[in-house]
Amino acid sequence: MLTAIVLIDADAARIPEVAQEVAELDGISEVYSVTGDVDLIAIARVRQHEDLATVVADRLGKVEGVRRTQTYIAFQAYSQHDLEQAFHIGLD
């Protein structure tokens, strides 16, 4: 499974609509409205790199109101649960 984080700049008047339309795309698991330099952050989860191109360029990029995207491919996932497991030394 390939995970990518997609930063989305959207037309200010269409942010909620863009978020909803992006969330409904196959390959997108979550969309967050955020503060900062971008309007939305989407999480894409696909099987292959080619699928990522389809999701981002062919679908997400064509949603009305999407101005620009930046895509970051995740190498490894970390979570609090994973960190607790990694540092557990077996003393109970």
Side-chain angles (χ1 to χ4, degrees), residues 1-19:
M1 181 67 62
L2 179 68
T3 300
I5 296 91
V6 185
L7 308 182
I8 304 168
D9 288 327
D11 290 334
R14 283 198 39 85
I15 291 173
E17 292 84 2
V18 170

Side-chain angles (χ1 to χ4, degrees), residues 4-10 18 22 28 30-44 52 56 60-61 65-73:
I5 296 91
V6 185
L7 308 182
I8 304 168
D9 288 327
V18 170
V22 170
I28 300 295
E30 305 153 65
V31 178
Y32 299 94
S33 177
V34 297
T35 62
D37 295 335
V38 297
D39 301 307
L40 302 167
I41 296 177
I43 307 299
L52 185 59
V56 176
L60 193 153
V66 171
R67 292 176 154 178
R68 183 173 81 104
T69 63
Q70 290 179 280
T71 303
Y72 296 88
I73 298 173

